[in-house]
Amino acid sequence: MPDNTPPASGAASRDAVESLIRRGMAARREDRPDEAMRHMKAAVALARFGEDPLALARALHGQANVERDLGRLDAALQLYLEAVPLCRRGNDPLVLAHTVRHLGDVLREMGDLNAARRCYAETLALYRADPDAPPLDVANAVRPAAILCEALGEAGEARALWREAGDLYGRAGVEAGVSESAARLERLG
């Protein structure tokens, strides 16, 4: 007998979507991409039935991250492009900043440096406008902006961004980020 139960709605649906996203993120951290993809696709499917644009945006972002891990940049790009306008409808500027940053990363990896620059500028403006933005999140946004400036031959701007990234990574207690920033600064002279 078919199950004619309607999908969960409201808070129950949002909780189920978040649970699937958490499971997908855990599988991703543990290098189980097939499992991560299953959870993220299920989260997206469930979120499409809900009325919470941020839940759908987070699910799309999660699936895009797995696509990117698998080297499928075109698929990741499409998912991020769908997620960003949903983030704009929500009321969480940090979720928007995080999603736009990942969109910028994919655009940079695909060689669209001007579009990536616009994404990074928006991301940094959003993070810098929020005094409660976690230093690690901000550092993780400053870092690719610095990489982009290096690629564009903008050494002065790259140096300023690497100094900022190093400081933020230090505040977040991420020694690898501090070390990378110092090494990049040394190389830039």
Side-chain angles (χ1 to χ4, degrees):
M1 176 176 235
D3 181 2
N4 293 325
T5 306
S9 62
S13 175
R14 189 171 27 260
D15 290 346
V17 169
E18 290 300 323
S19 176
L20 287 164
I21 292 170
R22 281 191 302 276
R23 285 189 252 159
M25 289 169 58
R28 186 173 173 235
R29 278 190 304 273
E30 295 165 7
D31 197 27
R32 297 189 322 264
D34 293 340
E35 181 182 340
M37 185 64 80
R38 276 194 309 278
H39 289 305
M40 294 305 187
K41 283 185 174 184
V44 168
L46 183 58
R48 288 194 189 283
F49 287 107
E51 297 177 13
D52 184 345
L54 279 181
L56 178 55
R58 284 184 32 77
L60 290 164
H61 185 148
Q63 184 180 341
N65 289 345
V66 178
E67 295 285 6
R68 187 172 166 211
D69 292 345
L70 296 171
R72 298 192 295 238
L73 296 182
D74 288 329
L77 177 65
Q78 294 311 309
L79 291 161
Y80 289 130
L81 286 171
E82 184 179 353
V84 167
L86 294 167
C87 290
R88 292 188 196 290
R89 290 178 36 205
N91 61 354
D92 190 333
L94 295 182
V95 170
L96 174 60
H98 191 69
T99 305
V100 172
R101 192 261 293 177
H102 279 234
L103 172 61
D105 291 344
V106 168
L107 289 165
R108 180 176 48 84
E109 290 167 14
M110 295 176 83
D112 192 343
L113 303 185
N114 289 324
R117 180 192 295 272
R118 289 189 299 274
C119 288
Y120 294 150
E122 179 179 3
T123 297
L124 292 174
L126 288 164
Y127 278 132
R128 289 174 176 153
D130 188 335
D132 296 323
L136 181 57
D137 288 352
V138 183
N140 286 340
V142 172
R143 178 184 179 275
I147 291 169
L148 177 67
C149 286
E150 280 189 54
L152 293 171
E154 299 169 355
E157 181 65 17
R159 277 192 290 277
L161 289 168
W162 281 118
R163 279 191 291 276
E164 182 181 2
D167 177 60
L168 289 162
Y169 281 124
R171 287 177 31 209
V174 179
E175 186 53 42
V178 173
S179 296
E180 179 190 22
S181 298
R184 295 281 193 145
L185 282 166
E186 186 176 318
R187 194 175 74 218
L188 285 167

